[in-house]
Amino acid sequence: MGKYEVMKRASEVDFSTVKYKAEEIKGPHLTGFSFKLFVHLLEAPVIGSLIVDHLKKDNGMTKIFRNTVIPEEPMFRPEFPSQEPELDVVVVGEDQSPIERLETALKCLPQYDPSRSLHADPVPSFRYWKIRDFAYAYRSKLTTPLLVAKRIISIIEEFSYDKPPTPFLISFDANEVIKQAETSTQRFEEGNPISILDGIFVTIKDDIDCLPYPTNGGTTWLHEGRSVEKDSAVVSKLRSCGAILLGKANMHELGMGTTGNNSNYGTTRNPHDTKRYTGGSSSGSAAIVASGLCSAALGTDGGGSVRVPASLCGITGLKTTYGRTDMTGSLCEGGTVEIIGPLASSLEDTFLVYAAILGSSSDDRITLRPTPPCFPKLLSHNGSNAIGSLRLGKYTAWFNDVNSSDISDNCEDILKLLSNNHGCKVVEIVVPELEEMRAAHVISIGSPTLASLTTYCEAGKNSKLTYDTRTSFAIFRSFSASDYIAAQCLRRRLMEFHMNIFKDVDVIVTPTAGMTAPVIPPDALKNGETNLQVTTNIMRFALAANLLGFPAISVPVGYDKEGLPIGLQIMGRPWAEATVLGLAAAVEELAPVTKKPAVYYDILNTN
C-alpha cells in the first residue's frame, strides 16, 4: 500500500501551526542546443513521460495530486461570497458608456495643473507624460495627434530584429495609425474631442482582437485557423472613446512564460537595461509604455502577466477581479484565471484606461454577480481620504523570500511611510499552503490553454511552437482529469483560507516579483530557454490573484543597486478595485523619484 495524506478541512486548519517553506524548484536551466535536445526527448513517447514524471515528483506535484485526499468540493472558477461595500468611493454603472465612466473618473482626480507638467521649469528629475498632458497639449494646439503619430511611426520603423530594442510590436500598420490620428486631429480642430482618451495612443497585446490586425498570441501561425472579424469587447470600448490603437504588442508565445522571450519575432528588451528581460507574458505592452512611446497598453494576466512586466519595467499594471472586464474576443476568454488589464506609466493613467474598459460580460453578470464598479476619490495628491483606515496584511516570511534584500527593503520602506503618513496599520498574517497553490495554478492555467489549442497541435502545429511553449505543453499533457479536479478542490480550499484572512485585513501586500529583471542569456534569443527557478521567483507573489480571482496592482516603489525597477503588489478583496487603486495612488506619491529608462522616447516635447 502506498502512503497518502488526508488533509484537514480548511475550516479546521490552525493558522498558528503554519510554517513558511521556501520554494525549492528542481529543474534544468537550458538554452541553445541542449534545450532543443531536451524538448525532443520530452516529446518522445516513453522517455518523455519518464522525464515529466521525474520533474513532477521532484517538485511535489505527484504528492499533492496523487497522494493526498482533499476534502473540499471542486471550484472550477472563482466563486466569491458577498462583500461589504467599499468606503469613500464613487459608484458607477456597468451600463454606462465608457465615455460617461471616463467623465466620472476625471471628477475623481485632482484638478489638472499644466504648470506641474507642460509648463514646468526644467528640473533634473524625470517624469512620464500623462494622458491629461496629451489632452491639454491637443486642446491648447501645442501639438496634434497626427504630429505625435508621425513621431511614433518614425521611431517604430527604425526597429530591427537583432538590435535592441527588438520589436515592441508584432503587428503594425503605419497607414492605419495615420488614418486614426487624422480623424482624431480633425475632431480637435472642430472642437469636438470624444473623451479624455481621444488621440491617446494605446497598444494591444497580441492575444486580444483588434482590427485590422490578426491575433497570433505571439505565434507565427494562429491566424491561419482563427480569423478576426471584429474588435474584442475591451478594444471596442477604447475605440469608442477615440483612443488611437497603435498595433499588436509582442508577448511570450501563448502566454506560456514569465520572461517575455519570443524567438519568433525577437525578444523585447527591458527599457531600463537592454541586456535584460521585460518580464512576461505582456512583454511588449510593458516595454512600449516604459519607453514612452505610448500612454497605455492592454495586457492579459493569467499568472502575473500584467503585474510582473509592469514591475520589472518600472510602470503600473492592474489585474482586475476575475470577471470585471469582458474577455470576449481574446484568446483567454475561456479561461478561469485570466483577465484583461491596463498597463500605464502612472496610477492616474491606469485608472482612466480601467474606467474605459471595465464591464462584465452578460454571462458573468449572471454567474459571478459582480458588485457595482466603484472609483476611488483621488482628489488630493495624497491618495484617498479612506486609506488611513486600511489594514495591510503582510506575511513577513513570504514577503522577505526574494532574491535580493533590495526588493523587500524598498517595499518595507513604503509600508512604513503608509503607516507614518496615513495611519495605515500593518497586520501580520499567515497564508497557508502556498506550495499547493502554485501546483493548482499550473493545472488551472495549463489545461484550458492546452485544450483550446489541441486541435491545432494535432494538425501539426506543435512543431511550429517555440521550444519553451513545447516544454510547457509536454508537462500539461501529463495531467489527468483527476489531477484537474484535485486542483479545483484546492482552489476552493485556498479561497476559504484567503476569505478568512480578509476578515482581518483589507489588502495583502507583497513585492510584485521575487527578483528584478533577469539577464537574457545570449543563446536564449534564438531558441528560448527553460529556467524553472527564474519562473518561480518571478511568479512567487502573483498566483493567488489569478487562481482566486482577486484584484491586484503593481506600483513602482524604487530600484535595486543595479538601477532595476522594483514593484509593490497590493491585492484586495473581490470587486474591491477602488480600494486597491486608492492605496496604490498613495504609494505612488510616497515612492522615490522615477528614473529615466535607458531607452526612452520623448514624443510630446513641445519645446
Side-chain angles (χ1 to χ4, degrees):
M1 290 283 290
K3 293 183 179 179
Y4 65 90
E5 176 186 345
V6 179
M7 286 181 162
K8 292 181 179 179
R9 287 197 169 274
S11 58
E12 299 171 358
V13 172
D14 181 355
F15 280 28
S16 67
T17 65
V18 174
K19 303 295 182 185
Y20 183 73
K21 180 182 177 184
E23 294 172 303
E24 295 181 13
I25 302 301
K26 298 175 183 177
H29 177 203
L30 301 172
T31 62
F33 174 77
S34 59
F35 184 31
K36 293 170 67 175
L37 177 61
F38 174 75
V39 173
H40 287 298
L41 291 173
L42 206 58
E43 294 175 339
V46 177
I47 193 169
S49 297
L50 294 174
I51 294 171
V52 170
D53 287 347
H54 180 72
L55 283 171
K56 287 162 63 178
K57 186 175 181 180
D58 270 4
N59 290 293
M61 298 190 81
T62 302
K63 177 184 176 183
I64 292 169
F65 294 120
R66 302 293 171 90
N67 306 129
T68 303
V69 177
I70 306 165
E72 280 74 22
E73 296 293 317
M75 176 191 290
F76 292 101
R77 64 179 196 158
E79 298 172 10
F80 304 125
S82 59
Q83 300 296 305
E84 293 293 323
E86 295 177 272
L87 301 176
D88 199 26
V89 296
V90 177
V91 180
V92 293
E94 287 208 57
D95 293 323
Q96 287 183 312
S97 71
I99 295 169
E100 291 172 323
R101 288 198 300 270
L102 280 170
E103 291 172 353
T104 302
L106 285 170
K107 294 175 183 176
C108 296
L109 295 175
Q111 184 174 355
Y112 178 73
D113 182 0
S115 68
R116 293 170 60 95
S117 49
L118 287 170
H119 299 321
D121 293 329
V123 290
S125 62
F126 166 77
R127 72 181 292 276
Y128 282 103
W129 298 117
K130 295 182 180 180
I131 286 171
R132 289 198 289 177
D133 295 328
F134 282 90
Y136 177 83
Y138 295 155
R139 285 160 176 78
S140 303
K141 303 190 186 305
L142 298 174
T143 189
T144 68
L146 183 57
L147 289 174
V148 175
K150 289 179 177 178
R151 182 175 291 187
I152 294 171
I153 289 167
S154 69
I155 295 166
I156 289 175
E157 290 182 340
E158 292 177 4
F159 293 166
S160 63
Y161 181 92
D162 55 357
K163 182 180 178 182
T166 46
F168 292 139
L169 301 173
I170 285 176
S171 298
F172 171 72
D173 184 336
N175 291 331
E176 172 65 21
V177 175
I178 289 291
K179 183 171 69 174
Q180 294 178 73
E182 287 175 338
T183 304
S184 178
T185 298
Q186 184 177 351
R187 288 194 293 266
F188 280 101
E189 289 173 348
E190 295 170 351
N192 294 312
I194 297 173
S195 77
I196 194 70
L197 293 186
D198 204 338
I200 302 301
F201 293 82
V202 181
T203 299
I204 309 300
K205 188 178 178 183
D206 193 40
D207 58 355
I208 304 169
D209 290 346
C210 175
L211 290 173
Y213 304 107
T215 294
N216 271 310
T219 71
T220 58
W221 51 264
L222 190 59
H223 65 281
E224 296 171 9
R226 183 186 181 279
S227 60
V228 175
E229 305 296 337
K230 61 180 181 179
D231 286 336
S232 61
V234 288
V235 168
S236 176
K237 292 173 183 177
L238 288 176
R239 201 185 292 273
S240 74
C241 295
I244 297 175
L245 307 170
L246 193 54
K248 303 298 290 295
N250 204 348
M251 60 178 287
H252 207 120
E253 187 182 62
L254 297 173
M256 290 292 101
T258 58
T259 60
N261 186 296
N262 188 315
S263 55
N264 295 323
Y265 298 96
T267 296
T268 303
R269 315 298 180 85
N270 194 310
H272 288 268
D273 183 345
T274 58
K275 295 183 178 64
R276 295 177 182 270
Y277 283 121
T278 58
S281 61
S282 304
S283 51
S285 295
I288 200 167
V289 171
S291 71
L293 269 181
C294 67
S295 297
L298 294 188
T300 53
D301 191 320
S305 291
V306 163
R307 292 159 288 148
V308 164
S311 175
L312 270 54
C313 290
I315 62 171
T316 300
L318 173 66
K319 182 217 167 278
T320 59
T321 304
Y322 178 80
R324 179 66 90 190
T325 49
D326 190 341
M327 302 293 290
T328 304
S330 72
L331 298 185
C332 308
E333 67 178 290
T336 69
V337 297
E338 299 93 342
I339 60 90
I340 294 172
L343 301 95
S345 60
S346 67
L347 187 282
E348 175 180 308
D349 289 357
T350 304
F351 172 42
L352 289 173
V353 176
Y354 165 66
I357 68 169
L358 72 81
S360 305
S361 69
S362 55
D363 288 346
D364 283 345
R365 289 197 202 188
I366 296 170
T367 57
L368 295 176
R369 301 186 302 280
T371 61
C374 300
F375 293 162
K377 297 177 182 177
L378 307 177
L379 299 177
S380 75
H381 285 281
N382 294 313
S384 170
N385 295 328
I387 67 170
S389 63
L390 293 180
R391 300 160 299 170
L392 319 181
K394 178 193 175 195
Y395 186 11
T396 298
W398 188 34
F399 190 100
N400 291 336
D401 188 6
V402 290
N403 271 24
S404 164
S405 59
D406 291 349
I407 298 171
S408 51
D409 288 348
N410 273 269
C411 292
E412 180 67 36
D413 288 346
I414 290 293
L415 298 188
K416 289 177 181 176
L417 288 171
L418 286 170
S419 296
N420 295 336
N421 293 23
H422 294 287
C424 297
K425 183 180 179 182
V426 178
V427 178
E428 183 66 24
I429 61 170
V430 171
V431 183
E433 299 182 12
L434 290 167
E435 183 179 2
E436 287 80 358
M437 179 159 57
R438 174 172 52 81
H441 176 267
V442 169
I443 293 185
S444 297
I445 191 172
S447 297
T449 301
L450 181 63
S452 69
L453 294 164
T454 295
T455 302
Y456 301 111
C457 292
E458 293 293 326
K461 299 297 186 184
N462 194 74
S463 62
K464 294 187 177 182
L465 294 168
T466 59
Y467 288 103
D468 46 346
T469 303
R470 288 164 66 177
T471 300
S472 296
F473 279 14
I475 294 170
F476 296 159
R477 288 189 185 97
S478 74
F479 295 129
S480 67
S482 63
D483 293 338
Y484 185 77
I485 297 295
Q488 307 321 303
C489 294
L490 286 173
R491 194 195 309 236
R492 184 175 298 280
R493 179 180 181 85
L494 290 157
M495 180 68 83
E496 185 167 343
F497 288 149
H498 279 75
M499 294 317 300
N500 281 331
I501 293 169
F502 278 127
K503 292 176 182 177
D504 298 320
V505 302
D506 301 291
V507 299
I508 296 173
V509 288
T510 63
T512 304
M515 66 186 302
T516 51
V519 172
I520 306 171
D523 284 353
L525 290 172
K526 184 176 181 181
N527 294 308
E529 68 172 318
T530 180
N531 189 336
L532 293 180
Q533 189 59 60
V534 164
T535 296
T536 302
N537 290 340
I538 286 176
M539 296 176 69
R540 175 162 297 128
F541 306 105
L543 302 182
N546 294 108
L547 184 66
L548 306 179
F550 302 138
I553 195 168
S554 178
V555 195
V557 291
Y559 302 85
D560 69 7
K561 291 183 178 66
E562 297 183 79
L564 299 171
I566 295 166
L568 176 77
Q569 177 177 259
I570 302 165
M571 183 172 74
R573 295 188 181 104
W575 314 117
E577 283 85 1
T579 299
V580 168
L581 289 164
L583 183 57
V587 169
E588 183 179 71
E589 283 292 320
L590 297 169
V593 173
T594 303
K595 292 183 180 180
K596 182 179 178 180
V599 177
Y600 175 74
Y601 305 96
D602 186 348
I603 61 170
L604 189 60
N605 192 332
T606 57
N607 296 327

